[in-house]
Amino acid sequence: MLLLSHARRKAKAAGAPIPVVWTSLADVTAHFRRSQVAMVAAAPGVGKSAFTLNLAIRSGCHGIYMSADSDEVTQAIRAAAILSGDRVEEIEDAYRSGKADKYEKALRDFTRVWFDFDAAPSLAQVEEEVLAYAYMYGTWPELLVLDNLANVFDESGGEGFTSLEATMSFLVDLARKTEAAVVVLHHVVGEAESGDQALKLKDIRGKITKLQTLVLGLAYTETFTPYGRALGVYVLKNRSGRASAAGDLSVELQADLERMLITDPDKPGGELPASVWETPREDERRIHEEM
């Protein structure tokens, strides 16, 4: 047991927001925070993986992205699009024609996030990845993304709500112990699966909403941008700020999925912050060169 004054000094990063990627969300007090679990939920094809990959790359955080729902080539091309601002189609053409040096260099230079592509990771594997990262770098990851919750294999044999609840409990404990910002992706149910209507907290598949400190829902709105319909981000739960379980609090972002860029409306170019290209830490450079 600790006095609160001692606990605060011990957990230096606990509760601290990671660098802001979307000022629109920050303006309504929605932040991804260290030592806490956030959920991003949406219907298939709406862009929750693209949203979270933008978060992982453009926040400048060091960490792990567990990509159970997307393969290596898909994620590499998406990341190259975000890093370069070029269209996915252009990048695919460049690889087919053997002229992808520009994108290979961008991917080599991006050493802040390590990816795991096991299609059905167990909780033990998730823990092993985090421990391996700490062993390699001597520090815990700042960000851990699990894409997505339904892909996690429950070794205990649990099903449905029981299995999802056990996974969420594990992630909450992991976030608390490592002070990582943990982001887990999840699905919605019912009419919300259309992907084009305002989301409510009750639309979250399995009603798994008790343990997260932040729950965001994504759906396309009727507003049109130069890139198509705007992406609505609904702040459904937020222990550290404003929220509406009824879906009454939302912001709109531009979703240029040809370039995999999800940006604030006033930043159509999706400028990458300088932190993304800062000189890698010495341990990152050394390990990267040894591979």
Side-chain angles (χ1 to χ4, degrees):
M1 290 185 292
L2 297 169
L3 293 173
L4 281 177
S5 58
H6 295 164
R8 174 58 187 162
R9 289 198 298 272
K10 182 174 181 290
K12 295 179 181 179
I18 67 172
V20 171
V21 173
W22 300 283
T23 55
S24 301
L25 279 173
D27 288 344
V28 296
T29 70
H31 291 275
F32 295 90
R33 296 178 181 274
R34 302 279 298 273
S35 297
Q36 299 180 7
V37 177
M39 175 176 281
V40 178
V46 170
K48 57 183 177 292
S49 292
F51 177 90
T52 313
L53 188 58
N54 271 262
L55 176 72
I57 291 176
R58 294 169 56 208
S59 67
C61 284
H62 303 259
I64 304 169
Y65 193 117
M66 303 202 68
S67 182
D69 201 44
S70 299
D71 61 74
E72 294 91 331
V73 173
T74 298
Q75 288 291 51
I77 290 175
R78 287 174 175 174
I82 295 170
L83 292 166
S84 68
D86 292 344
R87 292 184 297 118
V88 167
E89 184 179 0
E90 294 175 53
I91 298 170
E92 290 175 333
D93 287 344
Y95 273 100
R96 279 193 293 266
S97 62
K99 300 177 180 178
D101 290 350
K102 168 185 175 181
Y103 307 115
E104 283 293 291
K105 183 179 186 306
L107 295 175
R108 283 197 307 271
D109 289 345
F110 180 66
T111 61
R112 294 180 176 276
V113 179
W114 285 73
F115 287 79
D116 178 277
F117 292 98
D118 193 312
S122 66
L123 297 183
Q125 286 174 283
V126 174
E127 185 175 36
E128 286 172 3
E129 289 286 345
V130 173
L131 290 173
Y133 183 98
Y135 178 79
M136 291 170 69
Y137 294 131
T139 185
W140 297 114
E142 297 169 332
L143 176 69
L144 171 65
V145 175
L146 182 58
D147 182 3
N148 62 58
L149 185 60
N151 292 88
V152 177
F153 172 68
D154 187 355
E155 301 141 295
S156 69
E159 297 181 357
F161 176 83
T162 301
S163 177
L164 296 175
E165 186 84 346
T167 300
M168 291 306 304
S169 295
F170 167 84
L171 293 176
V172 168
D173 184 60
L174 188 66
R176 194 73 58 82
K177 288 178 177 177
T178 64
E179 296 189 7
V182 176
V183 182
V184 58
L185 279 61
H186 196 37
H187 297 294
V188 294
V189 295
E191 294 181 0
E193 290 184 283
S194 66
D196 60 359
Q197 66 176 38
L199 295 182
K200 300 177 175 59
L201 195 62
K202 66 180 183 180
D203 295 325
I204 305 298
R205 180 183 175 188
K207 305 296 188 289
I208 303 297
T209 59
K210 298 294 190 296
L211 300 177
Q212 308 91 303
T213 58
L214 177 69
V215 178
L216 301 179
L218 308 181
Y220 287 107
T221 73
E222 295 301 318
T223 302
F224 279 86
T225 75
Y227 310 104
R229 293 168 69 179
L231 183 65
V233 183
Y234 297 84
V235 186
L236 304 176
K237 179 181 178 181
N238 184 10
R239 288 184 186 167
S240 301
R242 298 163 55 195
S244 170
D248 296 327
L249 178 62
S250 66
V251 302
E252 291 185 338
L253 302 177
Q254 290 190 142
D256 179 4
L257 295 185
E258 288 189 353
R259 294 174 175 80
M260 285 295 142
L261 288 172
I262 296 178
T263 61
D264 286 306
D266 59 343
K267 295 182 180 178
E271 301 89 345
L272 291 171
S275 60
V276 172
W277 299 115
E278 284 176 0
T279 302
R281 295 186 319 216
E282 183 60 33
D283 52 5
E284 289 177 327
R285 183 190 295 108
R286 175 179 53 79
I287 292 171
H288 185 69
E289 290 173 349
E290 290 174 355
M291 292 186 66

